[in-house]
Amino acid sequence: MTSSTITREIPKPGINFQLYELGKFIRLSLTWLTIIFGAVWIASWLVGVLLPAAIEQFMQGDNAHFIGNVLRALTPIVSVMVFIPINAMFMVLCERRALALFTVRKGPNRVGPDGYLQTAADAVKLLFKEDITPHGADAIMFTLAPIIFFAPSIFGALPLLAAVTADHPLYSFVNLPTGIFYVLAMSSIPVVGLVMGSWASNNKYSLVGGLRSAAQAVSYEIPLVLSIITVCFMAGSLDVVQIARQQAGGLLNWNVFGGGALTHANLGSITSIVAALIMSLSCVILFCMYLIAACAEVNRIPFDLPEAESELVSGYNTEYSGIKFAIFFLAEFTNLFIVSTVATVMFLGCGAAPLPILDEVMVGTVTSLLAWAQNNLGANFGQLGWLINSLINPTTFVAALWVILKVYSLVVFAILVRGTLPRFRIDQLMDFGWKRLIPLSLILLIAITFLKELV
Amino acid sequence: MENIISFSQATVEPIMFYALVLLMVPLAFGVIFDRSIIRAGFILIGVFGTISGIFLLLQAQFLAMAQIMIYAVGITLVVVIALMLTNPTLDEDRAPTQAANRLPGFLIALLVFATIFLAIRSELWPMAPELIQSDPTKAIGYFLLTFYSLPFEFSSILLLAALIGSVMLAKSDRAPMKTEKGNAKALAKSTR
Amino acid sequence: MLSKPLAFSFAYIICAIIVTTLYAIGVVGDTIMQAGFNPEMAGLFTASALFALGALAAICGGHGKTIAVAGIALAFCVLVAHEQPLVRYMTLSALLFSIGMYGMVVSRNAVRMLMSIELMLNAVNINMVALARYIDPIAVRGQLFAIFILTVAAAEAAVGLAIVLAIYRNNASIDMEKFNTLKW
């Protein structure tokens, strides 16, 4: 029978097929993550360490020092510029593969080895498509909109870089005193680009999408900011590095579990223990609230009303094509990444391991490996020995590994939500925002402020 | 790093100031003169952005961020939505200004500017620019919760009142459309 | 090819920027070399040059509003070039305030009038922050006041826009010239 041969060739949709696909998905993610962070790492090493060192070596005087310092100051922006396009390519591929996994399909698997290069091909296609400005559109606004949508995602996440690299000297100067507030202010700008683009397209579907996105952003910004403010109250600071540092030392010190309320609770008094328990519970609720509001802020399903493909064609980006559409696409995925990073830094302990002992072991291993490399390789290359040492900062390396793990877990969680939930209706969305989330966030703000004193 | 920044502070500040002014003044006029009122709304965002740049020059980081968050995004978006709700295309082909008020308006504005400018010029200001608060956010928070806590509380009451009042004002008087039947009835009424 | 009004406007803007730059070089060079350059007289001369150039470009068929806006922006730069920073910022605030006032008086659209009021409130904010920076730099109380102004402005925008919407529902228009039912 032909059917039996077919069943032998293609694994039946069952647990084996799913495990096989899951293995492929994990392999793909690991490969892409290695490419992304290898590229970012090498780029920032070149700009921040190697080039300034070479310039100061071969050019004498104050000028060389000045140029070297300028290059070092450029490191954060260069690493962000390198990171954003590659990361967006990976996230699109990851999203398609993961959705395929959740709906028992195969996903893109033709371009390159097992579909690894699918989004690279998509990007090339988008760049070569014709860039159309529709008839009757406001040309200046139409061009400006994707830029306004995209620019904040470059500059907005800079203070977070200091936190996720554990205050590495090359990145520590982007750590502003108003750190997290700056990130929030910048992440509120993109909606202006959406409304602008939707109005300038001279298209009714776009306009409806833009109006929806404006209403949604204005409503969901409040619970988002309030949940972040609650964390700032707990930490007593707006400085992201300080907030990240306070969460070091184990799972229970993370803000999502009460920010050390459980470990600092006075075991002698009942009040203190109960307060600590309630506080950790409210922090978990707070974290969920942040995730919901952030999901709405970056227009992901179930809050993707602005682009709602089945109702509004494609909402605000109906009329966009070619490179402008690519920029919209890029910014959307970068924003998802940024809100996940904010969640990691504010709630999930940033670069801290779940168990403090893990951190020590990992840093120790990396340090001893480095020392070994220094002794065996550095001796042979003479002066270049310090270059190897400057390549890896053990603390930063371990912290970055944990941050990558946490952030991409949140991204995969967002994709899981996308694959699971249907879209809100606009009135349900408004009701949920104003009648549930905002009162809940205010209650939590007051409750956590009081509980913090009781613990 | 510190060296470069502190070295250039004195020279960069005026350059940035004039650049922002040359951006801000045309944008502010654009808000008033642009024929398309919605585009004027978007230009307003640009004005607020440059003003937040001015705040950054004046070492008011917190306020610059609040400016972007509240003015440039929050208030202006609400303004733009209100514009879209009030059917602006009707007025697009007419001049954006009232002809009868142009000359008096110009004279009033000129008078106001001249008065304020002369008043500023004639004053000797007790300057203390070399002192800089290292953490203005902290100072603001301290004063907000100690000496000025009463106005702070009152501003929250004001916001609440404004919220309720604007909802009451903007709510239409039409009966709520609950059932399908009622919906059809209300629709028929509104079309009649 | 540029159209004729646009070409004249551009020509004016370029000439005016050159004149202003010359003045700025004079001011900066004077503070360095102490050559006895009189900023008051030179400022008067530069301002009249800007005005004459503008009149010339407008007569030749330039774009009146563009010329006026560029002229005002550059004349402002000339006006404050030799002042101390605080006066510079406060003059900017006065300029923005007067622009907002002009817009409020002449606007035909009610929402545009509200936008002009926002401009005026922002001008006051600049004033507050400048004073906080230069006169009260330790206990930045001006910034505090600016935050209160921000709050009031948000409330004002909400209520004002709600009123505009209510008027629109009754009148089917937000033209300021049609709001004269209480005139007599």
Side-chain angles (χ1 to χ4, degrees):
Chain A
M1 291 289 287
T2 46
S3 61
S4 67
T5 54
I6 287 170
T7 42
R8 229 178 290 135
E9 275 173 24
I10 304 168
K12 263 186 196 161
I15 192 73
N16 279 334
F17 173 78
Q18 286 296 82
L19 282 178
Y20 176 66
E21 286 292 314
L22 183 66
K24 283 211 293 192
F25 174 70
I26 290 172
R27 214 159 34 197
L28 173 137
S29 305
L30 287 180
T31 318
W32 264 97
L33 285 178
T34 319
I35 294 171
I36 295 170
F37 289 98
V40 172
W41 186 2
I42 288 172
S44 48
W45 180 66
L46 278 178
V47 178
V49 178
L50 188 64
L51 269 179
I55 285 171
E56 278 164 16
Q57 190 87 27
F58 298 119
M59 280 168 60
Q60 303 299 322
D62 285 347
N63 255 343
H65 199 62
F66 179 76
I67 296 171
N69 272 344
V70 167
L71 278 175
R72 280 187 198 111
L74 282 178
T75 318
I77 209 93
V78 166
S79 50
V80 168
M81 295 287 227
V82 171
F83 174 74
I84 285 177
I86 317 180
N87 174 55
M89 271 202 258
F90 164 64
M91 277 168 78
V92 176
L93 186 60
C94 171
E95 172 150 12
R96 291 176 68 179
R97 290 298 287 255
L99 278 178
L101 195 65
F102 300 145
T103 50
V104 201
R105 292 182 286 118
K106 272 183 168 254
N109 56 7
R110 293 302 160 108
V111 186
D114 201 25
Y116 277 35
L117 297 176
Q118 178 66 48
T119 41
D122 286 348
V124 171
K125 181 199 76 175
L126 274 179
L127 291 185
F128 283 106
K129 265 175 122 175
E130 189 187 354
D131 186 14
I132 302 166
T133 306
H135 180 71
D138 190 326
I140 300 171
M141 297 267 164
F142 191 75
T143 317
L144 213 56
I147 299 170
I148 291 182
F149 191 65
F150 181 55
S153 58
I154 298 178
F155 298 106
L158 285 181
L160 294 176
L161 271 178
V164 299
T165 53
D167 218 7
H168 189 275
L170 274 178
Y171 294 97
S172 61
F173 81 97
V174 289
N175 177 32
L176 305 171
T178 49
I180 193 67
F181 194 48
Y182 172 83
V183 176
L184 288 177
M186 285 294 152
S187 67
S188 70
I189 293 178
V191 63
V192 173
L194 286 195
V195 178
M196 199 185 248
S198 67
W199 175 74
S201 315
N202 193 26
N203 179 327
K204 289 192 174 62
Y205 289 120
S206 299
L207 188 58
V208 172
L211 283 178
R212 279 181 176 188
S213 106
Q216 180 179 324
V218 168
S219 333
Y220 278 77
E221 184 119 347
I222 303 167
L224 181 91
V225 171
L226 278 176
S227 60
I228 293 291
I229 283 177
T230 314
V231 175
C232 293
F233 270 19
M234 281 161 61
S237 170
L238 287 173
D239 187 333
V240 275
V241 172
Q242 210 169 323
I243 293 171
R245 216 173 266 153
Q246 281 171 0
Q247 301 178 58
L251 195 66
L252 291 180
N253 272 357
W254 295 1
N255 280 336
V256 64
F257 296 119
L262 289 173
T263 47
H264 293 137
N266 179 10
L267 286 177
S269 86
I270 303 285
T271 333
S272 171
I273 295 171
V274 172
L277 282 174
I278 299 176
M279 180 153 169
S280 51
L281 185 68
S282 4
C283 284
V284 173
I285 301 173
L286 194 72
F287 179 59
C288 298
M289 213 179 64
Y290 171 81
L291 285 187
I292 294 169
C295 218
E297 193 71 9
V298 297
N299 303 328
R300 297 276 308 177
I301 290 177
F303 300 102
D304 72 330
L305 290 130
E307 47 186 318
E309 267 148 20
S310 47
E311 307 160 22
L312 296 181
V313 192
S314 187
Y316 57 85
N317 51 26
T318 306
E319 296 289 350
Y320 280 94
S321 65
I323 188 148
K324 288 176 193 155
F325 178 74
I327 291 176
F328 265 117
F329 215 61
L330 206 66
E332 231 167 86
F333 280 91
T334 313
N335 286 343
L336 173 62
F337 182 83
I338 289 175
V339 294
S340 307
T341 318
V342 171
T344 307
V345 171
M346 301 301 285
F347 290 98
L348 296 182
C350 199
L355 297 172
I357 190 87
L358 265 179
D359 252 346
E360 283 166 30
V361 169
M362 285 170 78
V363 172
T365 319
V366 176
T367 317
S368 52
L369 271 177
L370 266 183
W372 177 83
Q374 184 85 352
N375 290 338
N376 290 282
L377 302 173
N380 297 337
F381 293 106
Q383 273 201 332
L384 290 179
W386 69 268
L387 276 185
I388 296 169
N389 215 7
S390 72
L391 199 59
I392 297 177
N393 178 340
T395 337
T396 303
F397 183 71
V398 173
L401 275 186
W402 282 112
V403 169
I404 290 167
L405 182 68
K406 288 167 187 174
V407 170
Y408 283 97
S409 311
L410 283 176
V411 169
V412 170
F413 176 71
I415 296 168
L416 178 63
V417 169
R418 178 186 170 158
T420 318
L421 294 180
R423 185 181 303 130
F424 269 97
R425 223 169 51 210
I426 184 77
D427 58 325
Q428 291 171 338
L429 178 96
M430 285 297 156
D431 276 5
F432 185 63
W434 285 96
K435 293 183 185 164
R436 307 277 188 283
L437 280 187
I438 294 177
L440 184 65
S441 60
L442 286 170
I443 291 170
L444 284 179
L445 174 65
I446 293 168
I448 288 177
T449 320
F450 277 102
L451 287 170
K452 195 189 166 213
E453 297 304 312
L454 286 179
V455 170
Chain B
M1 271 320 299
E2 286 300 316
N3 274 340
I4 302 174
I5 290 168
S6 59
F7 161 72
S8 52
Q9 187 91 48
T11 49
V12 164
E13 195 255 10
I15 295 174
M16 289 300 293
F17 174 78
Y18 289 116
L20 284 173
V21 165
L22 290 181
L23 208 60
M24 184 200 291
V25 174
L27 285 177
F29 274 105
V31 172
I32 293 165
F33 288 134
D34 203 305
R35 253 168 207 285
S36 157
I37 176 81
I38 291 185
R39 204 191 294 153
F42 285 119
I43 293 172
L44 190 65
I45 295 177
V47 178
F48 290 153
T50 49
I51 288 174
S52 99
I54 293 274
F55 287 172
L56 278 183
L57 283 186
L58 287 168
Q59 318 276 337
Q61 280 188 18
F62 182 81
L63 215 56
M65 299 306 140
Q67 173 86 8
I68 287 180
M69 219 167 164
I70 297 170
Y71 263 122
V73 179
I75 292 181
T76 322
L77 268 190
V78 176
V79 168
V80 169
I81 291 175
L83 285 174
M84 288 172 176
L85 288 177
T86 51
N87 204 356
T89 46
L90 290 180
D91 301 330
E92 204 143 285
D93 48 340
R94 304 172 66 193
T97 52
Q98 304 174 16
N101 284 354
R102 250 172 246 164
L103 187 64
F106 177 72
L107 289 180
I108 290 172
L110 196 67
L111 201 66
V112 166
F113 178 73
T115 314
I116 301 177
F117 180 62
L118 292 178
I120 294 167
R121 276 281 299 274
S122 60
E123 187 77 29
L124 273 177
W125 297 98
M127 300 276 278
E130 60 281 348
L131 298 168
I132 289 181
Q133 169 67 259
S134 58
D135 194 354
T137 317
K138 205 171 216 164
I140 291 174
Y142 174 74
F143 280 110
L144 213 52
L145 291 179
T146 51
F147 294 104
Y148 298 94
S149 53
L150 196 64
F152 184 55
E153 298 298 328
F154 271 124
S155 70
S156 68
I157 293 173
L158 173 76
L159 275 182
L160 188 64
L163 192 71
I164 297 170
S166 54
V167 168
M168 286 305 292
L169 277 172
K171 215 174 77 175
S172 69
D173 303 330
R174 251 179 289 157
M177 311 178 220
K178 273 188 181 155
T179 57
E180 282 292 305
K181 212 175 162 189
N183 199 346
K185 250 185 211 166
L187 250 177
K189 204 186 269 180
S190 68
T191 45
R192 224 188 299 136
Chain C
M1 256 322 268
L2 287 172
S3 64
K4 194 181 158 199
L6 220 54
F8 274 109
S9 308
F10 273 129
Y12 169 71
I13 291 174
I14 291 164
C15 290
I17 286 177
I18 291 170
V19 170
T20 317
T21 318
L22 283 177
Y23 175 76
I25 290 171
V27 171
V28 173
D30 182 56
T31 51
I32 294 168
M33 303 200 296
Q34 304 292 336
F37 176 85
N38 186 350
E40 307 268 328
M41 284 309 293
L44 202 64
F45 178 74
T46 315
S48 39
L50 283 176
F51 181 74
L53 275 174
L56 191 68
I59 288 166
C60 294
H63 211 284
K65 274 174 192 162
T66 315
I67 290 170
V69 169
I72 287 175
L74 291 167
F76 170 79
C77 293
V78 169
L79 200 62
V80 297
H82 66 280
E83 301 284 1
Q84 48 181 335
L86 176 64
V87 176
R88 256 183 3 216
Y89 284 106
M90 288 175 78
T91 314
L92 173 66
S93 143
L95 179 67
L96 204 60
F97 189 83
S98 352
I99 293 174
M101 180 163 275
Y102 177 71
M104 195 186 73
V105 173
V106 302
S107 291
R108 161 171 277 150
N109 191 315
V111 182
R112 205 193 287 265
M113 218 180 82
L114 280 178
M115 285 168 15
S116 306
I117 294 175
E118 298 291 340
L119 278 186
M120 287 160 73
L121 286 169
N122 265 279
V124 177
N125 263 357
I126 293 181
N127 217 335
M128 290 293 167
V129 178
L131 287 170
R133 165 74 179 84
Y134 287 105
I135 292 191
D136 187 18
I138 295 301
V140 283
R141 274 168 292 199
Q143 293 189 25
L144 199 73
F145 213 94
I147 287 176
F148 286 129
I149 293 176
L150 218 69
T151 322
V152 174
E156 174 260 322
V159 176
L161 289 170
I163 292 173
V164 169
L165 281 185
I167 288 174
Y168 178 72
R169 258 208 316 279
N170 289 334
N171 269 10
S173 163
I174 48 170
D175 193 331
M176 292 305 288
E177 287 179 342
K178 290 181 186 161
F179 292 170
N180 49 11
T181 42
L182 279 181
K183 212 170 180 179
W184 288 285

